């Protein structure tokens, strides 16, 4: 399954548990907090000032 920009952090981590390490390497240390579970990757990238395309490439490796 491919990780997409409209998936929530919660969906990504449930679908691909090893993605937690990738998200943390991009500076998303609060991936377990309740509010992040409903936040999309696109929203999280914007909040954290990250390049969404780079994040998606890393998550889909």
């Amino acid at each position: 399954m491919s990780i997409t920009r409209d998936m929530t952090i919660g969906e990504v981590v449930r679908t691909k548990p090893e993605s937690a390490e990738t998200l943390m390497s991009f500076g998303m240390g609060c991936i377990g907090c309740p509010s992040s579970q409903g936040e999309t990757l696109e929203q999280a990238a914007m909040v954290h000032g990250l390049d969404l395309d780079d994040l998606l490439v890393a998550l889909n490796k």
Side-chain angles (χ1 to χ4, degrees):
M1 174 180 202
S2 183
I3 305 296
T4 62
R5 68 181 57 236
D6 60 336
M7 291 177 77
T8 65
I9 301 289
E11 288 175 309
V12 172
V13 173
R14 283 190 300 278
T15 302
K16 190 175 174 186
E18 64 274 19
S19 66
E21 187 175 321
T22 302
L23 291 167
M24 287 190 285
S25 76
F26 273 78
M28 294 184 185
C30 62
I31 59 170
C33 70
S35 62
S36 74
Q37 298 303 298
E39 186 175 55
T40 67
L41 284 175
E42 187 168 29
Q43 292 167 328
M46 185 175 59
V47 167
H48 289 277
L50 301 172
D51 183 291
L52 178 59
D53 293 327
D54 290 344
L55 179 59
L56 287 170
V57 167
L59 289 168
N60 282 299
K61 279 188 179 176

